[in-house]
Amino acid sequence: MSNLKHRKKTRTIIRQLLERLEWLGHQIFYVVIIIGGQSGAYLLLLPVTFVYVLFSRKIHKQTSFYLQKKFPTLGLGQAWLATFKIVQSFGQILIDRAWLGIKKDAVLQGKEEGIDQLEKILEKKEGLILLTAHVGNWQTAISHICQLPAQINSLMHYEEEAVAKHYFDLKGQGCPFKIINTEGFMGGMVEATSALQRGEVVTIMGDRLEGGQHVEVEFLGSIIRLPISAYVLAACTGASIGIVFAAKTGKKSYSLRVWNVLKIDSKERSNRMSEIKKSAQIFAKSLEDYLMEYPYQWYNFYDYWNNA
Amino acid sequence: MDELKQQLKEMVINDLKLQEISPKDINDNDALFGDGLGLDSLDAVELVVLIQKTFGVQIEDMEEGQKAFASIQALAEFIEERKAN
Protein backbone atom coordinates (compact mmCIF):
# COMPACT_ATOMS: atom_id res chain seq x y z
CA MET A 1 0.00 0.00 0.00
CA SER A 2 2.75 2.44 0.99
CA ASN A 3 4.66 1.38 -2.12
CA LEU A 4 1.63 2.34 -4.23
CA LYS A 5 1.38 5.70 -2.45
CA HIS A 6 5.09 6.28 -3.02
CA ARG A 7 4.77 5.56 -6.76
CA LYS A 8 1.74 7.83 -7.02
CA LYS A 9 3.65 10.63 -5.26
CA THR A 10 6.66 10.14 -7.57
CA ARG A 11 4.44 10.32 -10.64
CA THR A 12 2.86 13.55 -9.34
CA ILE A 13 6.29 15.10 -8.73
CA ILE A 14 7.48 14.10 -12.24
CA ARG A 15 4.29 15.50 -13.79
CA GLN A 16 4.68 18.79 -11.91
CA LEU A 17 8.34 18.97 -12.93
CA LEU A 18 7.46 18.41 -16.59
CA GLU A 19 4.75 21.07 -16.40
CA ARG A 20 7.28 23.53 -14.95
CA LEU A 21 9.79 22.66 -17.64
CA GLU A 22 7.13 23.23 -20.30
CA TRP A 23 6.30 26.59 -18.72
CA LEU A 24 10.00 27.49 -18.57
CA GLY A 25 10.45 26.49 -22.23
CA HIS A 26 7.65 28.82 -23.26
CA GLN A 27 9.08 31.67 -21.15
CA ILE A 28 12.52 31.25 -22.77
CA PHE A 29 10.96 31.47 -26.23
CA TYR A 30 8.94 34.57 -25.19
CA VAL A 31 12.18 36.28 -24.04
CA VAL A 32 13.97 35.31 -27.27
CA ILE A 33 11.05 36.70 -29.30
CA ILE A 34 11.25 40.02 -27.39
CA ILE A 35 15.01 40.25 -27.96
CA GLY A 36 15.52 38.57 -31.33
CA GLY A 37 12.05 38.64 -32.85
CA GLN A 38 10.63 35.87 -35.02
CA SER A 39 14.04 35.13 -36.65
CA GLY A 40 15.74 34.71 -33.28
CA ALA A 41 13.08 32.28 -32.09
CA TYR A 42 13.24 30.30 -35.36
CA LEU A 43 17.03 30.02 -34.88
CA LEU A 44 16.57 28.67 -31.36
CA LEU A 45 13.86 26.31 -32.57
CA LEU A 46 16.25 24.44 -34.90
CA PRO A 47 18.50 22.83 -32.25
CA VAL A 48 15.52 22.37 -29.89
CA THR A 49 13.64 20.44 -32.59
CA PHE A 50 16.75 18.48 -33.55
CA VAL A 51 17.43 17.34 -29.97
CA TYR A 52 13.76 16.59 -29.36
CA VAL A 53 13.40 14.50 -32.51
CA LEU A 54 16.73 12.80 -31.86
CA PHE A 55 15.96 11.67 -28.32
CA SER A 56 12.17 11.44 -28.05
CA ARG A 57 10.83 8.06 -29.11
CA LYS A 58 7.34 9.30 -28.25
CA ILE A 59 7.22 11.91 -31.03
CA HIS A 60 8.21 9.32 -33.66
CA LYS A 61 5.42 7.06 -32.44
CA GLN A 62 2.97 10.01 -32.50
CA THR A 63 3.78 11.02 -36.08
CA SER A 64 4.11 7.44 -37.39
CA PHE A 65 0.33 6.89 -37.56
CA TYR A 66 -0.05 9.73 -40.05
CA LEU A 67 3.20 9.13 -41.94
CA GLN A 68 2.39 5.45 -42.53
CA LYS A 69 -0.92 6.46 -44.16
CA LYS A 70 0.38 9.47 -46.02
CA PHE A 71 3.75 8.05 -47.13
CA PRO A 72 3.50 4.24 -46.82
CA THR A 73 6.86 3.59 -48.48
CA LEU A 74 9.02 5.88 -46.33
CA GLY A 75 12.30 4.46 -45.09
CA LEU A 76 13.56 4.95 -41.54
CA GLY A 77 15.70 8.00 -42.38
CA GLN A 78 12.96 9.58 -44.47
CA ALA A 79 10.44 9.04 -41.66
CA TRP A 80 12.88 10.69 -39.21
CA LEU A 81 13.22 13.68 -41.54
CA ALA A 82 9.45 13.89 -42.04
CA THR A 83 8.94 13.92 -38.26
CA PHE A 84 11.54 16.67 -38.00
CA LYS A 85 9.68 18.72 -40.63
CA ILE A 86 6.32 18.28 -38.88
CA VAL A 87 7.71 19.24 -35.44
CA GLN A 88 9.64 22.16 -36.93
CA SER A 89 6.55 23.52 -38.73
CA PHE A 90 4.44 23.09 -35.59
CA GLY A 91 7.08 24.93 -33.55
CA GLN A 92 7.17 27.77 -36.08
CA ILE A 93 3.40 28.12 -35.88
CA LEU A 94 3.56 28.37 -32.08
CA ILE A 95 6.34 30.95 -32.40
CA ASP A 96 4.32 32.97 -34.93
CA ARG A 97 1.37 32.94 -32.56
CA ALA A 98 3.49 34.26 -29.70
CA TRP A 99 5.35 36.74 -31.96
CA LEU A 100 2.07 38.24 -33.20
CA GLY A 101 0.95 38.62 -29.60
CA ILE A 102 4.18 40.07 -28.21
CA LYS A 103 5.53 42.32 -30.98
CA LYS A 104 3.41 45.33 -31.89
CA ASP A 105 4.78 45.54 -35.46
CA ALA A 106 4.44 41.80 -36.16
CA VAL A 107 2.30 40.97 -39.14
CA LEU A 108 1.75 38.00 -41.46
CA GLN A 109 0.89 38.57 -45.10
CA GLY A 110 -2.10 36.52 -46.14
CA LYS A 111 -3.28 35.13 -49.45
CA GLU A 112 -7.00 34.51 -49.16
CA GLU A 113 -8.93 32.45 -51.71
CA GLY A 114 -12.68 32.06 -51.95
CA ILE A 115 -13.57 34.53 -49.19
CA ASP A 116 -15.97 36.27 -51.61
CA GLN A 117 -18.10 33.07 -51.58
CA LEU A 118 -18.43 33.41 -47.80
CA GLU A 119 -19.34 37.09 -48.06
CA LYS A 120 -22.16 36.25 -50.49
CA ILE A 121 -23.56 33.68 -48.04
CA LEU A 122 -23.45 36.17 -45.18
CA GLU A 123 -25.33 38.74 -47.25
CA LYS A 124 -28.30 36.36 -47.13
CA LYS A 125 -28.14 36.35 -43.28
CA GLU A 126 -28.46 32.57 -43.20
CA GLY A 127 -25.54 31.84 -40.93
CA LEU A 128 -22.22 30.27 -41.84
CA ILE A 129 -20.21 27.46 -40.27
CA LEU A 130 -16.48 27.57 -40.99
CA LEU A 131 -15.34 23.99 -40.66
CA THR A 132 -11.63 23.54 -40.20
CA ALA A 133 -9.04 21.12 -38.79
CA HIS A 134 -5.88 20.87 -36.71
CA VAL A 135 -3.68 21.71 -39.69
CA GLY A 136 -1.61 24.77 -40.61
CA ASN A 137 -1.77 28.03 -38.71
CA TRP A 138 -5.52 28.17 -38.24
CA GLN A 139 -5.49 30.04 -34.94
CA THR A 140 -3.45 32.86 -36.43
CA ALA A 141 -5.35 32.99 -39.70
CA ILE A 142 -8.72 33.18 -37.95
CA SER A 143 -7.90 36.74 -36.87
CA HIS A 144 -7.89 37.65 -40.56
CA ILE A 145 -11.39 36.37 -41.19
CA CYS A 146 -12.69 38.80 -38.59
CA GLN A 147 -13.03 41.22 -41.50
CA LEU A 148 -16.05 39.18 -42.69
CA PRO A 149 -19.25 41.24 -42.43
CA ALA A 150 -20.72 39.34 -39.46
CA GLN A 151 -19.95 38.49 -35.85
CA ILE A 152 -17.41 35.62 -35.69
CA ASN A 153 -17.88 32.99 -32.97
CA SER A 154 -15.42 30.22 -32.33
CA LEU A 155 -16.64 26.97 -30.80
CA MET A 156 -13.53 25.88 -28.95
CA HIS A 157 -12.05 24.54 -25.75
CA TYR A 158 -10.56 27.65 -24.16
CA GLU A 159 -8.28 27.78 -21.13
CA GLU A 160 -7.24 31.26 -20.08
CA GLU A 161 -4.48 29.74 -17.94
CA ALA A 162 -3.02 27.55 -20.73
CA VAL A 163 0.78 27.50 -20.96
CA ALA A 164 0.79 28.09 -24.74
CA LYS A 165 -1.06 31.39 -24.88
CA HIS A 166 -3.26 32.52 -27.72
CA TYR A 167 -1.85 35.57 -29.51
CA PHE A 168 -4.77 37.72 -28.33
CA ASP A 169 -4.08 36.76 -24.67
CA LEU A 170 -0.45 37.80 -25.10
CA LYS A 171 -1.46 41.04 -26.81
CA GLY A 172 -3.79 41.85 -23.92
CA GLN A 173 -6.30 43.46 -26.27
CA GLY A 174 -9.10 40.95 -25.88
CA CYS A 175 -10.20 38.32 -28.32
CA PRO A 176 -11.19 39.60 -31.81
CA PHE A 177 -13.88 36.94 -32.03
CA LYS A 178 -16.39 35.57 -29.54
CA ILE A 179 -15.41 32.29 -27.90
CA ILE A 180 -18.15 29.73 -27.31
CA ASN A 181 -16.54 27.40 -24.82
CA THR A 182 -17.20 23.72 -25.50
CA GLU A 183 -16.95 23.13 -21.76
CA GLY A 184 -20.19 25.08 -21.28
CA PHE A 185 -23.81 23.90 -21.28
CA MET A 186 -24.48 21.30 -24.00
CA GLY A 187 -20.98 21.77 -25.35
CA GLY A 188 -21.83 25.29 -26.49
CA MET A 189 -24.33 23.97 -29.05
CA VAL A 190 -27.24 26.13 -27.84
CA GLU A 191 -25.19 29.30 -28.19
CA ALA A 192 -23.83 28.19 -31.58
CA THR A 193 -27.39 27.55 -32.82
CA SER A 194 -28.52 31.00 -31.71
CA ALA A 195 -25.52 32.63 -33.39
CA LEU A 196 -26.32 30.88 -36.69
CA GLN A 197 -29.99 31.86 -36.40
CA ARG A 198 -28.82 35.48 -36.14
CA GLY A 199 -26.87 35.05 -39.39
CA GLU A 200 -23.46 34.99 -37.71
CA VAL A 201 -20.35 32.88 -38.34
CA VAL A 202 -19.37 29.92 -36.14
CA THR A 203 -15.98 28.27 -36.57
CA ILE A 204 -15.72 24.59 -35.62
CA MET A 205 -12.86 22.09 -35.67
CA GLY A 206 -14.32 19.20 -37.63
CA ASP A 207 -11.51 16.66 -37.54
CA ARG A 208 -11.38 15.35 -33.97
CA LEU A 209 -13.98 13.12 -32.38
CA GLU A 210 -14.18 13.64 -28.63
CA GLY A 211 -17.18 11.48 -27.85
CA GLY A 212 -20.70 12.04 -29.13
CA GLN A 213 -22.35 11.12 -32.39
CA HIS A 214 -20.23 10.48 -35.47
CA VAL A 215 -20.09 9.14 -39.02
CA GLU A 216 -17.51 6.90 -40.64
CA VAL A 217 -15.71 8.17 -43.73
CA GLU A 218 -12.63 7.23 -45.70
CA PHE A 219 -9.50 9.27 -45.15
CA LEU A 220 -6.04 8.48 -46.59
CA GLY A 221 -7.11 4.96 -47.47
CA SER A 222 -8.69 3.91 -44.17
CA ILE A 223 -11.83 4.57 -42.16
CA ILE A 224 -12.03 7.37 -39.58
CA ARG A 225 -14.85 8.69 -37.43
CA LEU A 226 -15.79 12.35 -37.67
CA PRO A 227 -18.06 14.30 -35.31
CA ILE A 228 -21.42 15.30 -36.79
CA SER A 229 -22.24 18.34 -34.65
CA ALA A 230 -21.34 20.89 -37.37
CA TYR A 231 -23.49 19.11 -39.94
CA VAL A 232 -26.45 18.84 -37.56
CA LEU A 233 -26.14 22.57 -36.82
CA ALA A 234 -26.18 23.26 -40.57
CA ALA A 235 -29.14 20.94 -41.24
CA CYS A 236 -31.27 22.40 -38.43
CA THR A 237 -30.51 26.08 -38.92
CA GLY A 238 -30.14 26.16 -42.71
CA ALA A 239 -26.63 27.56 -42.36
CA SER A 240 -24.01 26.87 -45.05
CA ILE A 241 -20.72 25.15 -44.32
CA GLY A 242 -17.47 26.57 -45.63
CA ILE A 243 -14.55 24.14 -45.43
CA VAL A 244 -11.60 26.40 -44.73
CA PHE A 245 -7.98 25.46 -44.06
CA ALA A 246 -5.04 27.72 -43.37
CA ALA A 247 -1.42 26.97 -44.19
CA LYS A 248 1.90 28.56 -43.39
CA THR A 249 3.42 29.33 -46.79
CA GLY A 250 6.53 31.29 -45.83
CA LYS A 251 8.29 32.92 -42.91
CA LYS A 252 5.81 35.77 -42.79
CA SER A 253 3.05 34.54 -45.04
CA TYR A 254 0.04 32.29 -44.89
CA SER A 255 -2.73 31.05 -47.14
CA LEU A 256 -6.37 30.86 -46.14
CA ARG A 257 -8.45 28.95 -48.66
CA VAL A 258 -12.10 27.97 -48.93
CA TRP A 259 -11.82 24.36 -50.16
CA ASN A 260 -15.53 23.68 -50.45
CA VAL A 261 -18.92 25.18 -49.64
CA LEU A 262 -21.76 22.84 -48.64
CA LYS A 263 -25.43 23.16 -47.93
CA ILE A 264 -27.30 20.35 -46.17
CA ASP A 265 -30.87 20.60 -47.40
CA SER A 266 -32.23 17.66 -45.44
CA LYS A 267 -34.17 18.99 -42.48
CA GLU A 268 -36.00 15.68 -41.99
CA ARG A 269 -34.35 13.35 -39.52
CA SER A 270 -35.07 10.26 -41.63
CA ASN A 271 -32.68 11.07 -44.47
CA ARG A 272 -30.41 13.45 -42.59
CA MET A 273 -27.70 10.94 -41.71
CA SER A 274 -27.01 10.01 -45.33
CA GLU A 275 -26.67 13.72 -46.21
CA ILE A 276 -24.38 14.25 -43.24
CA LYS A 277 -22.21 11.29 -44.25
CA LYS A 278 -21.86 12.71 -47.77
CA SER A 279 -20.84 16.09 -46.38
CA ALA A 280 -18.37 14.57 -43.91
CA GLN A 281 -16.79 12.62 -46.78
CA ILE A 282 -16.37 15.88 -48.72
CA PHE A 283 -14.66 17.36 -45.64
CA ALA A 284 -12.30 14.36 -45.45
CA LYS A 285 -11.53 14.61 -49.19
CA SER A 286 -10.82 18.35 -48.83
CA LEU A 287 -8.42 17.54 -46.01
CA GLU A 288 -6.65 14.99 -48.22
CA ASP A 289 -6.34 17.61 -50.98
CA TYR A 290 -4.91 20.08 -48.45
CA LEU A 291 -2.33 17.50 -47.32
CA MET A 292 -1.25 16.95 -50.93
CA GLU A 293 -0.07 20.57 -50.87
CA TYR A 294 1.01 20.86 -47.24
CA PRO A 295 1.95 17.32 -46.06
CA TYR A 296 3.97 18.52 -43.06
CA GLN A 297 1.29 20.73 -41.52
CA TRP A 298 -0.72 17.92 -39.94
CA TYR A 299 -0.99 18.28 -36.15
CA ASN A 300 -3.03 15.36 -34.90
CA PHE A 301 -0.29 13.63 -32.93
CA TYR A 302 -2.07 10.38 -32.07
CA ASP A 303 -3.45 7.26 -33.75
CA TYR A 304 -6.04 9.16 -35.75
CA TRP A 305 -7.38 6.00 -37.41
CA ASN A 306 -7.84 4.00 -34.25
CA ASN A 307 -11.21 5.49 -33.23
CA ALA A 308 -13.04 3.74 -36.09
CA MET B 1 -49.76 26.99 -19.11
CA ASP B 2 -50.99 23.36 -19.04
CA GLU B 3 -51.86 23.56 -22.73
CA LEU B 4 -48.39 24.90 -23.51
CA LYS B 5 -46.72 22.14 -21.50
CA GLN B 6 -48.76 19.51 -23.35
CA GLN B 7 -47.76 21.11 -26.68
CA LEU B 8 -44.10 21.09 -25.66
CA LYS B 9 -44.23 17.43 -24.64
CA GLU B 10 -45.80 16.47 -27.96
CA MET B 11 -43.25 18.55 -29.83
CA VAL B 12 -40.31 16.92 -28.02
CA ILE B 13 -41.67 13.41 -28.68
CA ASN B 14 -42.69 13.94 -32.30
CA ASP B 15 -39.94 16.20 -33.61
CA LEU B 16 -37.08 14.58 -31.74
CA LYS B 17 -38.46 11.13 -32.65
CA LEU B 18 -38.47 9.75 -29.10
CA GLN B 19 -39.41 6.08 -29.15
CA GLU B 20 -41.94 4.31 -26.88
CA ILE B 21 -42.87 7.36 -24.87
CA SER B 22 -46.08 9.38 -24.64
CA PRO B 23 -46.73 12.89 -23.24
CA LYS B 24 -48.16 11.46 -20.03
CA ASP B 25 -44.88 9.63 -19.36
CA ILE B 26 -43.10 12.97 -19.07
CA ASN B 27 -43.37 14.72 -15.72
CA ASP B 28 -43.34 18.51 -15.82
CA ASN B 29 -40.18 18.65 -13.73
CA ASP B 30 -38.23 15.82 -15.41
CA ALA B 31 -34.82 16.92 -16.64
CA LEU B 32 -34.82 17.15 -20.44
CA PHE B 33 -31.13 16.33 -20.78
CA GLY B 34 -28.90 13.73 -19.17
CA ASP B 35 -30.62 11.43 -16.69
CA GLY B 36 -34.15 12.67 -17.40
CA LEU B 37 -35.39 12.27 -20.97
CA GLY B 38 -31.85 11.56 -22.08
CA LEU B 39 -31.68 14.23 -24.77
CA ASP B 40 -28.21 15.25 -25.95
CA SER B 41 -26.53 18.37 -27.32
CA LEU B 42 -27.66 17.64 -30.88
CA ASP B 43 -31.26 17.42 -29.67
CA ALA B 44 -30.67 20.81 -28.02
CA VAL B 45 -29.85 22.25 -31.45
CA GLU B 46 -33.17 20.99 -32.84
CA LEU B 47 -35.06 22.22 -29.81
CA VAL B 48 -33.64 25.75 -30.07
CA VAL B 49 -34.69 25.89 -33.73
CA LEU B 50 -38.14 24.38 -33.05
CA ILE B 51 -38.89 26.85 -30.25
CA GLN B 52 -37.85 29.75 -32.43
CA LYS B 53 -40.01 28.55 -35.33
CA THR B 54 -43.04 27.52 -33.28
CA PHE B 55 -43.18 30.27 -30.66
CA GLY B 56 -40.95 32.97 -32.13
CA VAL B 57 -38.80 32.83 -28.99
CA GLN B 58 -35.02 32.87 -29.33
CA ILE B 59 -32.78 31.20 -26.77
CA GLU B 60 -29.77 33.45 -26.96
CA ASP B 61 -26.97 31.84 -24.99
CA MET B 62 -25.82 29.09 -22.61
CA GLU B 63 -27.29 30.76 -19.53
CA GLU B 64 -30.72 31.05 -21.08
CA GLY B 65 -30.44 27.54 -22.50
CA GLN B 66 -29.51 26.07 -19.15
CA LYS B 67 -32.46 27.81 -17.50
CA ALA B 68 -35.01 27.06 -20.22
CA PHE B 69 -34.00 23.45 -20.84
CA ALA B 70 -34.08 22.38 -17.19
CA SER B 71 -37.52 20.77 -17.65
CA ILE B 72 -40.82 21.10 -19.53
CA GLN B 73 -42.06 23.33 -16.67
CA ALA B 74 -39.01 25.61 -16.98
CA LEU B 75 -39.32 25.72 -20.76
CA ALA B 76 -43.01 26.65 -20.62
CA GLU B 77 -42.29 29.41 -18.06
CA PHE B 78 -39.43 30.71 -20.20
CA ILE B 79 -41.61 30.87 -23.33
CA GLU B 80 -44.49 32.56 -21.50
CA GLU B 81 -42.16 35.09 -19.91
CA ARG B 82 -40.58 35.91 -23.29
CA LYS B 83 -43.90 36.23 -25.06
CA ALA B 84 -45.21 38.53 -22.33
CA ASN B 85 -42.25 40.94 -22.77
Side-chain angles (χ1 to χ4, degrees), chain A residues 194 197-198 213 269 272, chain B residues 40 43 46 58-60:
Chain A
S194 303
Q197 284 181 313
R198 291 192 297 266
Q213 293 184 48
R269 275 200 161 198
R272 186 181 293 163
Chain B
D40 61 19
D43 294 316
E46 296 215 43
Q58 178 106 33
I59 296 170
E60 299 283 351

Side-chain angles (χ1 to χ4, degrees), chain A residues 108-125:
Chain A
L108 290 178
Q109 295 300 323
K111 184 183 163 204
E112 289 152 9
E113 291 174 64
I115 300 296
D116 52 328
Q117 293 180 72
L118 307 183
E119 286 170 344
K120 279 179 191 158
I121 291 167
L122 289 170
E123 278 171 20
K124 295 183 210 160
K125 305 263 178 212

